[in-house]
Amino acid sequence: MNKTAFSLVGCFIFFCGAYFSEAQTREVITLKKQWKFNKGQHPEASKIEFDDSNWQNVTVPHDWAIYGPFDKEVDKQTVAITQNGETIATEKTGRTGALPYIGEGWYRTAFSLTNFDDNKKVLLLFEGAMAEPEVFLNSKKVGEWKYGYSYFYFDVTPYINGKDQNTLAVKLTNIGKSSRWYPGAGLYRNVRVIVKDKVSFEQWSTFITTPSISIDEAKVNIKTNAFGTDLKLVTEIYDKDGHKINAKETENIINNEFEQNLKINRPQLWSPETPYLYTAVLKLFKGTVLKDEITQRFGIRTIDYSPDTGFSLNGKTRKFKGVCLHHDLGPIGTAVNKSALRRQLSILKDMGCDAIRSAHNMPSLEQLELCDEMGFMFLAESFDEWKKPKVENGYNRFFDAYAEKDVVNLVRATRNHPSIIMWSSGNEVPDQWGSEGVKRAKWLQDIFHREDPTRPVTVGMDQVKAVMASGFGAIMDVPGLNYRVHLYEEAYEHFPQGFLLGSETASTVSSRGIYKFPVEIASMKTYPDLQSSSYDLEYCSWSNLPDDDFELQDDKPWVIGEFVWTGFDYLGEPTPYDDAWPSRSSYFGINDLAGLPKDRFYLYRSRWNTEVETLHILPHWNWEGREGEVTPVFVYTNYNSAELFLNGKSLGVQTKNLKTNQNRYRLMWMDVKYESGTLKVVALDDDGNPAAEKEIKTSGKPYKLVLDSNVKRLKANGEDLAFITVSAVDINGIPCPTATNQLNFEVSGNGRFRAACNGDPTSLEPFHLPTMKLFSGKLVVLVQSTENVGNITLTVTGKHLEKGQLTINSEKQIP
């Protein structure tokens, strides 16, 4: 296989929406409502006659643990975290989020199939179940899986009760010391029933590629498997506006596989800037009878990795401006929600991010669908652990029996997404040491290649010396380095590929709106309040500052990009406070757990989104008691120079330069002495003329609450979310950056309160209760639609504060 040249066209098999029927040939039912749930051991819960009337009513996707309470005893571990360079075991209390995910939980529901007959086949599809699911249908066990992040399905046709009611029961088991972060718990992704003819397309068998692409035309190759004889495949291709642009009929079938080649004239190429998607409709006939039909979206684009040009998309060299994302969605936990994912991606798009790494797990299908639509390249990761354990009860228990099956399901379920540009078979696996690890790496990479020969494979490698010595790094299609910036040059000289990827970078830590003095570069710095400074100069023992990675991107053409750890804070891994309670979530995020941008957001935006203006001042300017003390001021901007003014007095012009990495990418006034008032920065163009300005002011006491929603209307589907930012301002409307008032939330009309989050990694307030303290003057309230149209009003109150109120509309259809 050519290790440096890969090209791909992607497609997506629709599994979205609650119910849909394709030409009456198949039905896909998403089992969302009327689930019963109970946490605990229930040996008889698989039986049809089991009485679950006292169980909790829930909707799926569902995360049973996100409702708390936070408890330091949950998964308390005495361990040395080797990934953090620790050699002495200490007590860890918030490593997995301190939420009650450990234990056994049962889900039960019932469904009927009105169109079932002897000619039908029924599949039961799970897109993720945490963890070790055992599945029972009508009192009989139909199968089990182990990996909580994997997609899997069973043919349950023999277990169906005809057109009568069918009882589905799922047992899930989470054990301690099985994760390094908050894994969530429950049926946290969708469960679907697929009813189709026995003469039908095989699940996840369709694969669309483009063997050749030019300005004038693209050759589209379609392979798909089907069950039956005397079959005919008719394929129709539509552009994004729904116009049919080509069609083809094929009767030749070899070993149950169809293959077609179609032409698209003047193809529109998929990219982050122009995420153009086509639609293919595949119809399966037996004789003249339509037996099955599937609709798929796909995009046309080429990818290439070579020592000459690094990474290229559609023939143009570019570098990944990527972030890593864990799978939890902050205050709603791991339960997948498309509007929450869309909001995350919209924030990252504004920052200029163009790539996502799913770390360290298989992504949700909703996330991939949105990346196709919104334009994000995707590095789809599989495992955090292979045969050798990181945590006692991790994936190492299942590797031998399940690794190949899990990789096959990952690739076949998602390989047609144009957003996916690379696979990852692992992250910082201890198997990096020794010859056995090299063999495992090659074995996994060969499976990826067998299932998808169009994309390369990487591993996030942190033991750089070891992978150079063992040959582990040399066999990878793309050598990915996690941190270790001081070893980039040596690795580049040692590895044969001719390029390197920053598969995980920075791990800078900060708390939104919190600033510490003196301002200095520090590793593993801790403070009594268990926060990290938002001057963005603090990092971890194994990691570095953003500026160090920027230098490599700018100065080394063989560094093909980076994936920053992380785009958003996540539950668990509260480094550098792993052994300090009540820290229970990470400090790594460019955005906090509520999705509010930290200062670091603007540092990346000033570099990545140069099409728009960025001009951001830090810190805030409320420092009563620091009068006359040195309070450095940083400015993050896409301009090279700026002049700073304090209460109208110039504090001088700063210009980006090569003195240090920080001077190269930030403007810093290190000797500013605090006095209350107005701090203003005037950005200068390359000729020294004023181009833009920004100011911040010292505020008075909190006076009222201001509300701002990320959307103005919701879909009346019972799932859509609005994220409403609540800010405290003084009587003159100036934000109060240190406000910590306790607030209360009330939702009226055709919506409901879903959750709240303030981004404080030490807060023990439950997300699902309608009260929470402000953190650094802000928090976010999540409001969810019902299935009724009409107005939804959020009212926020706090003692001695003028209330805030905001109304949004809920509609059946949003254009």
Side-chain angles (χ1 to χ4, degrees):
M1 177 180 184
N2 183 345
K3 293 179 66 174
T4 58
F6 298 81
S7 358
L8 172 81
V9 58
C11 75
F12 174 65
I13 302 175
F14 278 96
F15 291 124
C16 305
Y19 294 86
F20 72 91
S21 176
E22 294 176 317
Q24 304 302 312
T25 60
R26 63 163 56 197
E27 183 180 18
V28 179
I29 305 168
T30 302
L31 301 177
K32 288 185 175 293
K33 299 179 181 179
Q34 299 177 337
W35 283 91
K36 290 284 192 174
F37 166 74
N38 195 274
K39 187 177 179 183
Q41 297 182 352
H42 301 283
E44 301 300 312
S46 63
K47 307 299 184 186
I48 293 176
E49 63 272 15
F50 181 82
D51 183 7
D52 58 17
S53 58
N54 291 325
W55 284 17
Q56 181 183 357
N57 295 311
V58 300
T59 58
V60 169
H62 177 249
D63 178 354
W64 82 55
I66 193 62
Y67 303 98
F70 294 103
D71 186 344
K72 68 177 294 186
E73 299 301 318
V74 173
D75 207 15
K76 185 169 68 176
Q77 304 176 19
T78 300
V79 63
I81 303 176
T82 57
Q83 287 75 33
N84 295 7
E86 296 179 1
T87 58
I88 300 173
T90 58
E91 181 180 278
K92 306 297 192 295
T93 53
R95 194 180 187 196
T96 52
L99 288 165
Y101 76 95
I102 295 172
E104 191 172 299
W106 282 83
Y107 291 83
R108 287 171 52 89
T109 192
F111 62 91
S112 298
L113 304 177
T114 58
N115 64 343
F116 183 80
D117 57 43
D118 290 342
N119 295 316
K120 298 294 184 182
K121 175 183 287 189
V122 182
L123 305 182
L124 186 58
L125 171 68
F126 292 81
E127 295 175 8
M130 192 64 68
E132 302 182 42
E134 298 178 52
V135 180
F136 304 84
L137 189 61
N138 298 323
S139 301
K140 297 178 181 179
K141 185 172 182 177
V142 300
E144 64 181 30
W145 211 262
K146 295 299 182 183
Y147 193 32
Y149 294 106
S150 190
Y151 334 110
F152 61 95
Y153 67 93
F154 302 116
D155 183 344
V156 295
T157 311
Y159 305 92
I160 293 294
N161 278 338
K163 295 184 179 180
D164 296 331
Q165 180 171 278
N166 296 276
T167 300
L168 173 63
V170 183
K171 175 188 174 184
L172 298 169
T173 305
N174 285 331
I175 62 177
K177 300 181 181 178
S178 59
S179 181
R180 298 192 297 121
W181 55 85
Y182 175 66
L187 295 176
Y188 71 102
R189 291 180 182 167
N190 283 303
V191 180
R192 309 191 195 268
V193 179
I194 302 171
V195 185
K196 59 180 182 175
D197 200 279
K198 287 182 178 178
V199 177
S200 57
F201 294 108
E202 181 182 350
Q203 181 73 7
W204 297 336
S205 68
T206 302
F207 192 19
I208 301 183
T209 58
T210 49
S212 64
I213 301 173
S214 69
I215 294 176
D216 295 324
E217 67 178 42
K219 177 183 176 182
V220 179
N221 177 264
I222 299 177
K223 292 184 177 71
T224 190
N225 287 11
F227 301 103
T229 58
D230 188 27
L231 302 181
K232 177 174 63 178
L233 173 65
V234 176
T235 300
E236 300 168 346
I237 295 180
Y238 297 84
D239 65 16
K240 71 178 183 64
D241 298 317
H243 302 126
K244 186 192 292 188
I245 56 176
N246 205 345
K248 188 161 188 176
E249 178 179 314
T250 302
E251 295 185 359
N252 297 324
I253 183 169
I254 302 173
N255 296 326
N256 294 327
E257 181 180 271
F258 282 105
E259 182 171 4
Q260 290 182 332
N261 290 297
L262 297 92
K263 183 176 70 172
I264 294 180
N265 293 321
R266 304 292 296 178
Q268 301 295 310
L269 302 188
W270 184 96
S271 72
E273 294 73 30
T274 57
Y276 193 100
L277 296 172
Y278 293 90
T279 299
V281 178
L282 281 68
K283 300 178 181 180
L284 184 68
F285 290 85
K286 182 176 178 62
T288 60
V289 179
L290 178 64
K291 289 292 188 178
D292 199 10
E293 181 177 327
I294 55 177
T295 300
Q296 307 175 349
R297 292 187 311 177
F298 66 94
I300 300 174
R301 52 57 164 178
T302 63
I303 56 174
D304 182 76
Y305 298 78
S306 76
D308 296 325
T309 57
F311 170 68
S312 298
L313 177 72
N314 299 327
K316 297 180 181 178
T317 299
R318 61 190 296 160
K319 297 196 176 191
F320 296 112
K321 299 181 289 188
V323 301
C324 302
L325 291 180
H326 264 313
H327 73 304
D328 80 63
L329 294 168
I332 61 173
T334 60
V336 70
N337 181 281
K338 196 168 183 180
S339 57
L341 288 166
R342 184 183 289 107
R343 182 219 183 200
Q344 276 195 342
L345 294 175
S346 296
I347 291 169
L348 294 174
K349 199 76 172 179
D350 179 55
M351 189 175 72
C353 173
D354 65 8
I356 307 294
R357 174 188 179 219
S358 61
H360 307 289
N361 53 267
M362 300 169 180
S364 69
L365 299 183
E366 290 86 350
Q367 186 179 41
L368 292 174
E369 180 185 354
L370 286 169
C371 286
D372 290 345
E373 294 174 3
M374 299 175 67
F376 286 89
M377 297 177 287
F378 207 94
L379 199 174
E381 195 153 84
S382 50
F383 308 120
D384 187 51
E385 193 175 277
W386 293 350
K387 182 68 171 176
K388 291 186 177 180
K390 288 185 187 179
V391 289
E392 182 178 328
N393 296 315
Y395 189 74
N396 64 88
R397 295 180 294 144
F398 315 126
F399 182 81
D400 286 340
Y402 275 86
E404 181 170 7
K405 292 190 289 187
D406 285 328
V407 169
V408 168
N409 282 6
L410 166 65
V411 177
R412 292 185 183 179
T414 68
R415 62 187 171 185
N416 294 319
H417 286 276
S419 54
I420 297 180
I421 43 74
M422 196 186 317
W423 305 108
S424 170
S425 60
N427 171 71
E428 297 183 2
V429 294
D431 313 66
Q432 289 168 90
W433 299 87
S435 61
E436 286 302 313
V438 179
K439 294 174 183 176
R440 289 186 192 114
K442 185 179 186 304
W443 176 69
L444 285 168
Q445 184 165 269
D446 286 346
I447 296 170
F448 276 103
H449 288 167
R450 182 191 73 204
E451 299 299 320
D452 175 15
T454 70
R455 294 182 181 89
V457 182
T458 190
V459 168
M461 301 180 292
D462 63 328
Q463 302 300 318
V464 181
K465 291 285 190 180
V467 298
M468 286 193 289
S470 69
F472 187 112
I475 70 165
M476 302 309 304
D477 296 329
V478 176
L481 298 194
N482 287 9
Y483 316 107
R484 311 301 191 264
V485 291
H486 63 289
L487 295 174
Y488 267 48
E489 289 273 8
E490 185 178 354
Y492 170 64
E493 294 297 329
H494 190 93
F495 293 148
Q497 294 90 341
F499 54 84
L500 296 177
L501 170 69
S503 46
E504 191 168 312
T505 63
S507 272
T508 303
V509 292
S510 62
S511 302
R512 178 183 55 80
I514 303 295
Y515 306 91
K516 303 295 186 180
F517 305 96
V519 176
E520 57 189 4
I521 296 174
S523 173
M524 302 299 285
K525 188 71 178 288
T526 59
Y527 303 92
D529 63 357
L530 309 186
Q531 304 291 351
S532 294
S533 178
S534 200
Y535 272 105
D536 300 326
L537 293 175
E538 296 176 3
Y539 56 98
C540 300
S541 57
W542 68 87
S543 64
N544 52 274
L545 298 178
D547 319 67
D548 303 329
D549 295 302
F550 295 168
E551 179 188 32
L552 287 165
Q553 308 301 315
D554 287 345
D555 297 349
K556 309 297 182 184
W558 40 266
V559 178
I560 64 173
E562 66 170 320
F563 289 86
V564 181
W565 192 264
T566 53
F568 292 80
D569 279 338
Y570 55 92
L571 291 159
E573 284 195 316
T575 311
Y577 296 105
D578 300 275
D579 55 0
W581 183 254
S583 291
R584 48 70 171 155
S585 61
S586 78
Y587 299 75
F588 298 119
I590 296 171
N591 301 275
D592 71 14
L593 197 70
L596 295 172
K598 302 179 185 180
D599 293 290
R600 213 170 344 131
F601 173 93
Y602 300 97
L603 177 61
Y604 283 98
R605 189 177 191 265
S606 69
R607 171 179 169 78
W608 284 355
N609 190 359
T610 56
E611 299 299 314
V612 300
E613 177 182 285
T614 297
L615 189 58
H616 177 75
I617 307 172
L618 65 129
H620 62 70
W621 212 238
N622 274 48
W623 295 107
E624 185 177 356
R626 284 191 61 82
E627 286 79 8
E629 295 187 45
V630 173
T631 306
V633 174
F634 291 4
V635 170
Y636 297 156
T637 181
N638 56 317
Y639 294 97
N640 286 321
S641 300
E643 185 172 8
L644 187 69
F645 297 85
L646 177 54
N647 293 327
K649 179 182 177 181
S650 175
L651 301 182
V653 173
Q654 291 288 340
T655 301
K656 295 175 185 177
N657 59 70
L658 299 179
K659 184 178 179 181
T660 68
N661 282 351
Q662 283 66 53
N663 293 101
R664 184 173 179 178
Y665 300 104
R666 316 171 189 222
L667 299 176
M668 303 185 295
W669 288 260
M670 298 301 296
D671 56 356
V672 177
K673 292 184 178 179
Y674 176 71
E675 62 180 60
S676 64
T678 300
L679 193 66
K680 182 172 76 170
V681 64
V682 178
L684 306 176
D685 64 20
D686 291 339
D687 296 320
N689 300 313
E693 65 177 54
K694 180 76 174 289
E695 65 180 28
I696 57 175
K697 296 182 179 181
T698 306
S699 73
K701 293 181 180 180
Y703 173 74
K704 67 177 180 179
L705 299 169
V706 176
L707 277 57
D708 181 49
S709 177
N710 71 313
V711 294
K712 303 305 179 187
R713 48 190 179 172
L714 294 177
K715 292 180 182 177
N717 58 8
E719 301 174 16
D720 218 16
L721 293 171
F723 291 78
I724 299 172
T725 301
V726 181
S727 305
V729 300
D730 70 8
I731 197 169
N732 296 312
I734 300 170
C736 300
T738 61
T740 59
N741 306 65
Q742 188 78 40
L743 305 183
N744 299 300
F745 321 118
E746 181 181 353
V747 177
S748 59
N750 294 296
R752 68 182 184 92
F753 171 80
R754 173 67 186 272
C757 186
N758 60 16
D760 180 359
T762 70
S763 172
L764 300 182
E765 292 184 277
F767 300 123
H768 68 288
L769 298 182
T771 182
M772 186 167 284
K773 283 186 177 180
L774 292 165
F775 178 66
S776 295
K778 293 179 182 291
L779 57 74
V780 173
V781 177
L782 284 66
V783 173
Q784 191 163 36
S785 69
T786 65
E787 294 184 354
N788 299 318
V789 300
N791 288 339
I792 305 170
T793 299
L794 170 65
T795 303
V796 184
T797 58
K799 192 175 292 185
H800 308 304
L801 291 171
E802 184 178 301
K803 72 178 180 183
Q805 198 167 72
L806 183 142
T807 297
I808 56 179
N809 192 254
S810 181
E811 305 174 5
K812 280 298 180 185
Q813 297 291 330
I814 296 179

